[in-house]
Amino acid sequence: MPKQVDHRERRETIARALWRVVEQRGIAHASVREVAQEAGISHGAVQHYFATREEMLVFAMDFASEQTSLRVAEGVRGLGDPPHPRDVLRVMLTEMLPLHPDARATSRMSAAYVLEALHNANIHARARDGLTHGRDLVEQMVRQAIADGHIDPDRDPATETHLLLTLTGLTPLIELGVIEPQEALTAVDQHLDRLFTGNATDSPGNGRSSG
């Protein structure tokens, strides 16, 4: 009998190959032909799953977002029941920084996707919707933390959300060797300590880990 092909698995294989191309050579090399070569499959096989480069990029970014969400969920599962919001936010923020190989690959894919979005209206709309959803999720967490007394009620949820998300701007500093990963983690921890009432005593275990 002919071997059954798992089409989702094949798409994910192509997406991971695209991540590697972007990580190692940059978005300019993310063509169907180069991705096919990286994936070890034919150009035609890639086109069977993705008719255009744009379709391939969109799937690869969606898959990267899924993988980041899975890593966050896995990290949150180890935080206790219920997890402290400070620690949940720390997991979310650190998984968006290039602190380990998987996060680095998805972070670089995300950066490349944003650059592509600046010149492609369809990708721009999808990227904007994705970022808006992520931002709103963080604001919901901040609002709930305020309601539960973990954050000072005088804090503005929208402003605090924006300040939290600016921490992901440490990515290029890490990537270019301006700061060390541990310095980024220290900045994240100190910001969270200042945000949450009671500082270190408010968060069980204080969420401190090596990243």
Side-chain angles (χ1 to χ4, degrees), residues 100-210:
H100 57 79
D102 287 345
R104 184 164 54 249
T106 52
S107 174
R108 290 182 182 181
M109 182 65 220
S110 179
Y113 194 70
V114 169
L115 289 176
E116 193 78 10
L118 296 177
H119 308 287
N120 182 309
N122 292 330
I123 290 180
H124 184 283
R126 289 182 64 94
R128 185 178 186 279
D129 288 346
L131 289 172
T132 299
H133 174 75
R135 182 222 164 274
D136 291 347
L137 178 61
V138 173
E139 183 170 338
Q140 289 172 19
M141 294 186 62
V142 171
R143 287 185 180 278
Q144 190 61 52
I146 291 173
D148 292 340
H150 296 300
I151 296 175
D152 193 309
D154 292 336
R155 302 272 189 152
D156 176 63
T159 299
E160 297 304 333
T161 296
H162 300 154
L163 289 172
L164 284 166
L165 292 176
T166 60
L167 291 166
T168 64
L170 295 169
T171 292
L173 299 180
I174 298 169
E175 290 277 37
L176 298 177
V178 177
I179 65 173
E180 295 296 323
Q182 188 56 52
E183 293 178 282
L185 290 173
T186 297
V188 169
D189 280 324
Q190 289 196 8
H191 181 82
L192 289 171
D193 282 349
R194 290 167 182 166
L195 175 62
F196 280 81
T197 303
N199 295 330
T201 60
D202 184 57
S203 176
N206 197 29
R208 298 295 176 87
S209 71
S210 61

Side-chain angles (χ1 to χ4, degrees), residues 17-36:
L18 191 152
W19 294 358
R20 292 193 297 274
V21 169
V22 168
E23 182 176 8
Q24 297 163 14
R25 286 169 265 170
I27 188 66
H29 291 271
S31 66
V32 171
R33 188 172 302 280
E34 292 206 37
V35 170

Side-chain angles (χ1 to χ4, degrees), residues 84-94 138 141-142 145 151 164 188 192 195-196:
H84 193 283
R86 178 202 183 280
D87 296 338
V88 175
L89 284 168
R90 186 182 192 275
V91 171
M92 293 175 67
L93 291 169
T94 55
V138 173
M141 294 186 62
V142 171
I151 296 175
L164 284 166
V188 169
L192 289 171
L195 175 62
F196 280 81

